[in-house]
Amino acid sequence: MSGRGMGGRGLGGRGETDPPLARATLDRTAHRRTDAQWLAQAWSGARVLVLDVESGGQALVRTDTSVPALVLAEADALPPALATGAMFLGVEPDGVPVFCVHTTLAVVPNTRSAHLRSVGHLLSDRDAGLFTTALALTNWHLRHLYHPVTGEPTRADEGGWSRVDPTGERMWPRTDPAMIVLVHDRVDGSDGRCLLGNNATWPSVEGRRRFSCLAGYVEPGESAEAAVRREVREEVGVPVSDIRYAGSQAWPFPGSLMLGFLATADPEHPVRTDPAEIAQARWFSRREVGAAQAGRPVDVGGARLLLPPPSSIALFLIHRWLDGHC
């Protein structure tokens, strides 16, 4: 697709050429994960991201800056016991190691606690990468307290990058691949349309109804492109073509990798939703989506159209289409 978009944010500027949670600057320094002596020495003087798992993995961000910024603690100022369960995230460009620990957040002046969903798109590349990695790793640990084969309890090892049971059986973090696709009609200008759906599990809130890109998990033995065709067909009954990869980002809620695509379809083909998955689906014009993005009301069956949250790859794909980059 070419031509001028309407109402999009543009693809220039900080991080906007990539999905919001696909940005990172930290050197993960993976070869240090098995070096217990180095990890122990690296803790002293390290920077530490504190996550509160009881609150769903919130972290502290500064409120006295123009944009939110993660608050990293000094390892030497934290209780020594926290070093035992610390997860090694990597090394900063200035050579300082960075760890993550789980404990209750202590909100201090000029800070607030925040979820990655709410601030991920506002953070710097460095902070977005740190928060996303830490939360993804944390959620994996919380869900793998027992080995899936032996049933034995496991403990964290290798700087938080594996878990091992008493028999020595080890497992490593895994990510579930999922596809998400913005289906459009390939038409330029304000009359171009895209197909969005309202998930059956999303309630209307204060007269607003969220519509987003179609998505689903990649099944065993399936390519990501095959998953795009299958999921769209299953959810709305529409065949798609010209599937193009647009980018990916982690979605650590709890542990997915969202593979983003753009695809085309015929708006004249009947939309037949699977009610177990999709409560409502319809084609929206670029004019309508641009209006909703700008905060103007767009009616969807008596409710106001609400687009995906800013930290999602769904909104990134919608912006690509709005701006004609598809």
Side-chain angles (χ1 to χ4, degrees), residues 9 18-21 116-118 120-121 180 210 212-213 249-251 253 258 307-319:
R9 64 176 179 173
D18 298 309
L21 302 186
L116 179 62
R117 288 178 186 265
S118 65
H121 62 294
I180 183 165
R210 187 182 302 281
S212 185
C213 302
Q249 74 170 27
W251 192 243
F253 309 107
M258 303 302 298
L307 294 178
S311 290
S312 68
I313 192 173
L315 192 61
F316 169 81
L317 294 173
I318 290 173
H319 282 153

Side-chain angles (χ1 to χ4, degrees), residues 181 183 225 228-230 232-233 238-243 263-265:
V181 60
V183 179
E225 292 81 2
V228 169
R229 297 186 186 92
R230 175 183 55 77
V232 176
R233 185 178 64 252
V238 174
V240 297
S241 61
D242 193 22
I243 299 171
T264 60

Side-chain angles (χ1 to χ4, degrees), residues 10-167:
L11 292 178
R14 179 186 60 81
E16 293 182 351
T17 56
D18 298 309
L21 302 186
R23 300 173 290 122
T25 63
L26 191 70
D27 181 352
R28 296 194 174 202
T29 324
H31 67 282
R32 294 295 191 184
R33 297 171 184 172
T34 56
D35 190 337
Q37 182 178 356
W38 184 91
L39 290 171
Q41 294 173 345
W43 174 257
S44 179
R47 299 181 182 120
V48 182
L49 174 60
V50 177
L51 290 186
D52 187 342
V53 296
E54 296 298 324
S55 65
Q58 293 191 61
L60 284 185
V61 296
R62 295 184 59 176
T63 58
D64 59 348
T65 53
S66 58
V67 295
L70 283 181
V71 176
L72 299 186
E74 295 181 3
D76 296 335
L78 295 173
L82 290 177
T84 302
M87 302 183 300
F88 173 61
L89 301 181
V91 176
E92 298 248 50
D94 62 3
V96 177
V98 182
F99 290 80
C100 173
V101 298
H102 305 146
T103 190
T104 303
L105 293 176
V107 178
V108 297
N110 297 320
T111 71
R112 65 180 176 90
S113 59
H115 286 285
L116 179 62
R117 288 178 186 265
S118 65
V119 299
H121 62 294
L122 300 173
L123 297 173
S124 67
D125 291 357
R126 175 256 201 176
D127 285 0
L130 281 177
F131 202 165
T132 303
T133 300
L135 185 58
L137 200 53
T138 292
N139 284 335
W140 177 76
H141 280 285
L142 294 176
R143 286 162 175 76
H144 291 81
L145 301 178
Y146 296 88
H147 198 283
V149 176
T150 68
E152 295 287 339
T154 60
R155 61 174 178 82
D157 196 21
E158 297 183 330
W161 288 91
S162 73
R163 295 189 69 88
V164 62
D165 76 4
T167 70

Side-chain angles (χ1 to χ4, degrees), residues 6-8 285-296 298 305 307 318 321-322:
M6 296 187 57
S285 70
R286 191 175 276 108
R287 183 185 296 107
E288 290 176 302
V289 177
Q293 175 65 17
R296 298 191 296 274
V298 175
L305 173 62
L307 294 178
I318 290 173
W321 172 75
L322 277 175

